[in-house]
Amino acid sequence: MLLNELSIGQKASIKKISYMPEITDRLISMGLIKGVVIELVRKAPLGDPIEIKVTNFLLSLRRNEASAIEVEEIS
Amino acid sequence: MREDKKILVALAGNPNSGKTSLFNSLVGTHLRVGNYPGVTIEKTEGTIKYKDYRIIFVDLPGTYSLSAYSPEEAISRNFILEEKPDVVLNVVDGTNLERNLFLTTQLMELQANMLIALNMYDEVLQQGTKIDFKQLQKILGCHIVPTSAVKKEGITQLLNHIVRIFDSKIIIAKNKLSYDPQEKDPTTLAEKRYAFINGAIAETVEYVDKPIKTVTGWIDAILINRILGIPIFLFIMWSIFQITFKLGEIPMGWVDTGVGYLSALVSGGLTEGWLRSLIVDGVIAGVGGVIGFLPNILLLFLCISVLEATGYMARAAFVVDKVMHKIGLHGKSFIPMLTGFGCSVPAFMACRTLKNKADRVVTMMIIPFMSCGAKLPVYLLLIGAFFPENMAGNVLFGIYLFGILIALLSAFILKKALFKGESEPFVMELPPYRWPTLNYLFIQTWIKAQSYLKKAGTVILLISVIIWTMTSFPTLPQNNNTQSALEYSIAGRLGKIIEPVIKPLGFDWKIGIALVTGMAAKEVVVSTLGTIYSLEDENALALKDRIRKDPVFTIPTVLSLLAFVLLYLPCLAATIVFNKEVGSSKWTWIYFGYTMTVAWIVSFLVYRISSLFF
């Protein structure tokens, strides 16, 4: 499934990052690569963007950007 | 006399790693802000004397990576490769090693002379994390000094290490990478870097349950929750304006009184004539009027710095992005727009973070509608003169809100009309909440105060003298009884010429003169009114009271004047920077035309509509 399909509080591990111009490089440089565990923390008051927890920090990104990240749920 | 040895140190690190705070701790107020050659990214450097050495610190832009994809990354990379600094001080956020070390590996790939400052070490200890420094140093090949910008710890050790590296007393091992940095595929290269980093951390760092700052979590649960997020955001913005007005009133009163005394002193001491008039009506009235607003402006800049330093700014962008994106902008446009509340010049420069041309140009074109600090004196003057005190803060907030509304509307229209390009990605870190260091706030505010006073001492002083000249000459001949001295002067005639164009807005030629001179610098609107009314009225009243006596200032006129000053072309300095940032004069002309048209139409509507009620 894709990152933007997670529900709040769900944890998942990254399977693959598809190519999106400019976004992929940014995501990689911030530590989002295969195998990394992330958690969906919240959605903004207006529904977009979303906030995820990655290793030790919090990252926000738009839902359509999050759709570049394919994840596998961890129960 | 032996000349000091010069050491060049470049600071590199992630945004939010406390790099700038550390830089401030190292350099104090001996800093200088300029530009990197060829681009308009701010270059901050500072020089200090330490033992027998002169150390030049250059604060490179904060970056997550050194690939050449963004201007900041390219600048940092090129600086290290071309200027060959004696030491590259890599500031690493100790609470975020996995991500921060990504940049470190790239610095190692560049064979830089590295020294690592493990910053926020106080927080690392608080979290219970244990780091084996000796082993980590061995793995990375360079020294690591724990630092805390907040507690001001580690500064002397850093300086000692820098000197020892320069004197070759410390040897840096540069062959420590376990992978081939020439790898072509970026994803594979990234994975190899992280493999190296994770290996290093597994060996040397012991976490206690890998906590993320829960305090931040609790605060965010309130500040950006689905229901409270937006009201809280609006409340914070509103508070800033109340603080600026209410608190700022007090020192402003002192300055006004001081200027009054000075004026009376000079009037008493000199004989009547042009010299006395020049000093009292030109210089003191003009410059004095503007200096009174320094406290208000400082408070505004202070508030913006606090928001940035605590980490709330990022939350604000997070809350607001959906709206920004809908009108074709970016959540990151919010920060330059907010900076525009202080001054358009750094706001235009801040738009460099918007890589996409459409986002950048449109954001720049609407920034002037974010009422800058220079317009504040004009508002405060008019509001102070014509509205009761308990309404004042709300009217001020109303003006700012109105500006924002026009800006958002404009963004939507401009984006559709001029560009249909793709928007820039939003990906952005939400840093943990931190107490801002007083040192950092003090230095940031001091820099702004300096430049405001410099502007007052030079540009505004010069313009005050010019205006005084334009309003005093030619002098009225003795036998002329049909006109006042002001009408006869150059300025008066100029005002009369444009009067027909501004009459529908409720303005007269005197206001016209002030608006024309206001194109040089917005505070000058106040200076000019100061000079005009000082010449007309010899009683030692405050400007506020003098304009209240002039019948042209009805409530509709005041409202439409407020709207016009809000919207029309920003000052000369800002326009010059706009032109430089946007790169072509075509956009500058569009910008000129657009702001003037919007200002005129909106003022007209405000005047006509409010005339129905007041």
Side-chain angles (χ1 to χ4, degrees), chain A residues 22 25-26 28-31 33 42 44-51 53 56-60 62 65, chain B residues 64-65 95-96 98-99 102 190 194 212 220-221 226 318 321-323 325 330 424-430:
Chain A
E22 292 180 9
D25 303 313
R26 192 46 119 79
I28 292 176
S29 70
M30 292 183 92
I33 56 168
R42 62 166 50 82
L46 299 172
D48 201 3
I50 61 175
E51 180 187 342
K53 186 155 58 171
N56 278 341
F57 69 101
L58 300 167
L59 185 68
S60 66
R62 291 186 185 134
E65 295 162 352
Chain B
Y64 295 107
S65 157
T95 63
N96 223 320
E98 286 83 351
R99 196 191 72 215
F102 190 72
Y194 282 116
I212 195 163
D220 272 346
R226 301 206 75 161
F318 180 72
D321 184 64
K322 181 139 190 206
V323 175
H325 200 212
H330 185 285
E424 137 125 0
F426 183 74
V427 185
M428 181 189 74
E429 183 191 359
L430 295 171

Side-chain angles (χ1 to χ4, degrees), chain B residues 290-332:
Chain B
V290 164
I291 293 197
F293 297 109
L294 182 65
N296 304 84
I297 292 185
L298 287 186
L299 281 171
L300 185 65
F301 277 123
L302 187 66
C303 289
I304 293 179
S305 292
V306 169
L307 288 188
E308 268 179 327
T310 49
Y312 181 75
M313 274 296 204
R315 272 80 184 172
F318 180 72
V319 165
V320 142
D321 184 64
K322 181 139 190 206
V323 175
M324 296 271 116
H325 200 212
K326 267 230 166 76
I327 56 176
L329 289 179
H330 185 285
K332 272 205 279 189

